[in-house]
Amino acid sequence: MIRSGPGRYLFLALVALLFLFLLGPVLLVFPISFSADSFIAWPPSGWSMKWYAAMLEQPTLGVALRNSLILGSIVTVLALAIALPAAVALSRGTFPGRDAIMAGLTAPLLLPTIVLGLALLIIFVGQGLIGSWPGLILAHLLITVPYALRVLVTTLGTLPASVEEAASSLGAPALQVFFRITLPLMTPGLIAAAAIVFLVSFDEVVITLFIVGPHLTTLPVALFRYVESRTDPLVAAVSVMMVLFTLTLVVVLERAVGLRRAIGGKAG
Amino acid sequence: MAAEAAPPHLELHGLEKRFGATRAVQALSLSVGKGELIGLLGPSGCGKTTTLRMIGGLMPATDGRIIVAGRDVTALPPHRRDMGIVFQNYALFPHMDVAQNLSFGLEMRKIPADERQQRVQRALAMVRLEAFAARKPRELSGGQQQRVALARALVIEPSILLLDEPLSNLDANLREEMRNEIRDIQQRLGITAVFVTHDQAEALAICDRIAVMRAGVLEQLGTPFEIYERPANEFVAGFVGRVNRAAGHRGADGRLLLGDVVLQGTGHAGAGPVTIMIRPHRIRLTDTPPEGIGWNSATGTVTRRTFVGDLLSIEVALGPASLLVEQHTFAGAVVAGPGDAVRLAWRAEDTLVFPASPAGVFPAPPAGVFPA
């Protein structure tokens, strides 16, 4: 670490530059969302709240938002229901092929999403799953379960096995050990996993694009479609709302359970 | 401490644990009397913790049987073995307060709430933590956590108490205090206990009997006195207490030689090369060595003298060997320094003689003295 002298200022400038590079585009949508123009331009010729007002009068986006929230909630519950037993089995059990199963369950993270999307399209078309809730839920589970599994396996890995052994030596059968000891101690990890799954689902565009239908779409896809046909600052206003929603969720969780620690990083 | 006379409460018959080709515990048989505190002592990797985990049911035995009060528990899961375990890292439930930690085992046993509360109170009083019932484990010091772990294991009134290196995470002062506390409570309750440790002083201090293990094999089982004074082999003599080691020879006529000094010793080594072991504090520096049967004496040259307050260590070259002599110090003592010739004397029964170990199996440390 550079602690003093001109090097320190250079270092700080570099960090600031990196942050600007990463966050600049996101920050730019904030002023643009208050533009009075009818198209996205920089700098705006005037300021107004009219795109926020327009947003509320957009039925398509409203429905898409509702769909995204419902989808995210269902996917969160199901992803945890799948990942929790899998994580317990993978981190507490010893059986042949354990590493292979772990690799298989996290593999979807490594595939290009466009490939996954195409593959799902091909499979789903034959099953009548395109543009349907089950189709969307299945697709989102495919990409969110690996995240949930990773977080939960990490959480279980940091729980000392001796705590569970102590409970069992005190007379608790396996199920009691799980519900009285393991599960309560996993709470921060469960909340973190739920948050990540929800955000990934809420944010997902590429795969969802292949699967949505004319009557069922999600907010990111609806926004994408909107931008394709029009270029007014309405999308900026929606983006601001999405950024604020995500940020709020992350900050609240960080305060409540220490998100970074639950994900597996060092406590800050 | 006539615990051996008590009927066996815990019996191990040919207990064995294999990991692939490795035999972590080999055909271990031993019997623990009711109310006895038995120590499993050995260096890390000797199989002592593996043995404890098999007794507690935390690890399945590959072979052999575990009998508690006449009942075969080998196949029982831990929650049906009725054993209290104190773990090295205490393993307290971090999301429960102290009282809830203690109450957990009683709840599992379906003890009614009011009785539960009484027993938790009694257990807390036993470890002098009444005032800490509402604290979370992370709000306690190491010694307090240790006492909670002990109380939690005992409040269920288990048939056997298992302690896995319970003192190794405490600092030195506290360790001695806690070991005496564990011993007191164990004796007051008359509970059968198995105590795993790598610290020979700890084992000697509180155990009724000690099982010394090495590489999965039981090397010796005996009282602390027997283990210390009559070690069964070179390993036990070296692991328990400090000891000088010197290469000697026993002739076909039975004469024991250290260099060219003829010694009397104890042990059953036959003719050929032998290892002679003498504890440093059993050797005296004296101008008038006791003569006759029962005593050895020899003349050597002081090579080093180290003053450590209560003890004075003097290294004496004696022919090919180098012996460490430890003397308690007292004011006005006149002691030889480097280069001086000194006469040493020690008892024949303090001269432990073992067949020389094959080279490489048990290499001698360079100083000729084992660390304590």
Side-chain angles (χ1 to χ4, degrees), chain A residues 160 162-174 176-177 180-182 184-185, chain B residues 53 58 78-79 83 85 87 89 91-96 104-105 107-109 152 156:
Chain A
S162 61
V163 173
E164 290 166 1
E165 289 174 350
S168 117
S169 78
L170 289 167
Q176 290 270 20
V177 174
R180 294 283 311 269
I181 307 295
T182 315
L185 292 178
Chain B
R53 292 177 63 81
L58 304 175
H79 67 272
M83 296 187 189
I85 307 181
F87 291 83
N89 63 356
L92 299 176
F93 308 134
H95 59 304
M96 299 184 188
F104 183 84
E107 283 171 51
M108 292 303 128
R109 282 168 170 66
R152 184 180 67 176
I156 58 172

Side-chain angles (χ1 to χ4, degrees), chain A residues 28-142:
Chain A
L28 205 60
V29 302
F30 281 75
I32 290 177
S33 72
F34 293 104
S35 167
D37 301 336
S38 305
F39 46 89
I40 293 181
W42 186 260
S45 60
W47 304 101
S48 82
M49 292 287 288
K50 72 175 182 184
W51 295 114
Y52 285 91
M55 184 173 70
L56 298 175
E57 285 156 15
Q58 257 288 340
T60 343
L61 290 182
V63 171
L65 171 65
R66 201 202 59 191
N67 287 346
S68 273
L69 291 175
I70 294 173
L71 179 64
S73 309
I74 295 174
V75 166
T76 303
V77 171
L78 290 181
L80 288 189
I82 295 166
L84 180 59
V88 171
L90 285 170
S91 53
R92 288 292 184 264
T94 44
F95 46 86
R98 202 180 65 163
D99 294 343
I101 292 173
M102 181 74 193
L105 283 170
T106 47
L109 286 182
L110 302 173
L111 289 175
T113 41
I114 192 90
V115 174
L116 263 183
L118 264 173
L120 285 176
L121 178 68
I122 294 163
I123 296 167
F124 281 12
V125 160
Q127 311 300 319
L129 288 167
I130 296 299
S132 74
W133 280 102
L136 272 180
I137 292 168
L138 276 177
H140 278 211
L141 280 178
L142 186 67

Side-chain angles (χ1 to χ4, degrees), chain A residues 178-263:
Chain A
F178 181 75
F179 285 108
R180 294 283 311 269
I181 307 295
T182 315
L183 200 57
L185 292 178
M186 285 182 73
T187 310
L190 281 169
I191 293 175
I196 289 168
V197 167
F198 186 87
L199 289 177
V200 168
S201 161
F202 191 72
D203 205 35
E204 160 56 30
V205 187
V206 181
I207 292 172
T208 319
L209 263 176
F210 286 94
I211 293 160
V212 291
H215 305 296
L216 182 59
T217 191
T218 66
L219 185 60
V221 172
L223 273 181
F224 184 77
R225 293 266 157 82
Y226 189 91
V227 179
E228 278 182 326
S229 53
R230 297 154 74 174
T231 53
D232 58 46
L234 177 78
V235 281
V238 178
S239 302
V240 166
M241 299 312 290
M242 284 181 76
V243 168
L244 290 181
F245 172 71
T246 308
L247 210 60
T248 312
L249 198 60
V250 170
V251 169
V252 167
L253 285 172
E254 168 62 29
R255 282 293 143 85
V257 296
L259 199 54
R260 273 171 295 173
R261 193 178 38 188
I263 293 168

Side-chain angles (χ1 to χ4, degrees), chain B residues 212-223:
Chain B
V212 184
M213 295 178 72
R214 173 173 58 145
V217 176
L218 177 63
E219 295 281 340
Q220 187 175 4
L221 175 67
T223 63

Side-chain angles (χ1 to χ4, degrees), chain B residues 62-363:
Chain B
T62 312
D63 210 346
R65 287 184 307 145
I66 301 162
I67 314 284
V68 178
R71 194 170 68 117
D72 190 331
V73 302
T74 319
L76 289 184
H79 67 272
R80 290 180 54 208
R81 288 205 183 187
D82 194 27
M83 296 187 189
I85 307 181
V86 177
F87 291 83
Q88 185 170 8
N89 63 356
Y90 318 138
L92 299 176
F93 308 134
H95 59 304
M96 299 184 188
D97 65 27
V98 169
Q100 288 168 332
N101 264 278
L102 264 60
S103 185
F104 183 84
L106 300 174
E107 283 171 51
M108 292 303 128
R109 282 168 170 66
K110 311 246 182 328
I111 308 280
D114 47 346
E115 190 193 333
R116 246 178 11 226
Q117 207 180 344
Q118 283 172 19
R119 281 172 66 171
V120 167
Q121 280 310 317
R122 273 209 306 273
L124 282 176
M126 178 179 72
V127 294
R128 294 177 283 119
L129 283 177
E130 297 98 318
F132 296 85
R135 296 270 191 98
K136 286 281 174 65
R138 65 169 174 278
E139 298 163 343
L140 301 176
S141 70
Q144 290 166 339
Q145 291 187 28
Q146 168 68 83
R147 300 217 293 272
V148 174
L150 183 63
R152 184 180 67 176
L154 287 171
V155 73
I156 58 172
E157 292 170 12
S159 69
I160 292 174
L161 177 65
L162 304 176
L163 303 129
D164 183 12
E165 301 259 10
L167 307 174
S168 60
N169 283 343
L170 301 175
D171 54 42
N173 298 332
L174 203 53
R175 206 176 299 160
E176 203 160 308
E177 188 186 319
M178 271 311 299
R179 88 178 181 208
N180 293 335
E181 192 161 339
I182 288 176
R183 177 56 161 169
D184 284 349
I185 291 171
Q186 181 266 334
Q187 289 199 306
R188 215 176 328 137
L189 300 180
I191 189 170
T192 310
V194 181
F195 184 99
V196 162
T197 181
H198 65 272
D199 181 336
Q200 45 97 17
E202 216 166 273
L204 290 174
I206 66 168
C207 294
D208 291 311
R209 282 191 303 157
I210 299 171
V212 184
M213 295 178 72
R214 173 173 58 145
V217 176
L218 177 63
E219 295 281 340
Q220 187 175 4
L221 175 67
T223 63
F225 183 83
E226 286 164 356
I227 297 281
Y228 189 83
E229 297 293 344
R230 297 284 166 262
N233 55 41
E234 204 180 321
F235 171 77
V236 175
F239 192 75
V240 180
R242 293 157 58 75
V243 70
N244 284 297
R245 164 206 300 276
H249 191 272
R250 192 189 284 283
D253 53 358
R255 286 212 315 177
L256 181 65
L257 287 168
L258 173 61
D260 49 12
V261 182
V262 180
L263 299 179
Q264 307 164 63
T266 174
H268 39 70
V274 294
T275 302
I276 298 171
M277 301 177 94
I278 313 160
R279 303 210 183 268
H281 67 279
R282 295 283 167 88
I283 306 177
R284 292 188 201 167
L285 287 179
T286 173
D287 294 330
T288 52
E291 290 294 330
I293 201 98
W295 283 90
N296 290 315
S297 82
T299 309
T301 311
V302 175
T303 53
R304 189 201 304 234
R305 191 177 69 180
T306 316
F307 177 71
V308 287
D310 56 339
L311 280 183
L312 191 69
S313 342
I314 300 154
E315 251 175 73
V316 179
L318 190 72
S322 172
L323 294 182
L324 189 75
V325 180
E326 278 178 0
Q327 305 250 288
H328 281 283
T329 52
F330 52 91
V334 181
V335 186
D340 295 348
V342 287
R343 283 194 76 79
L344 307 177
W346 66 94
R347 286 179 180 277
E349 63 211 80
D350 288 328
T351 314
L352 309 169
V353 185
F354 301 106
S357 54
V361 169
F362 196 71

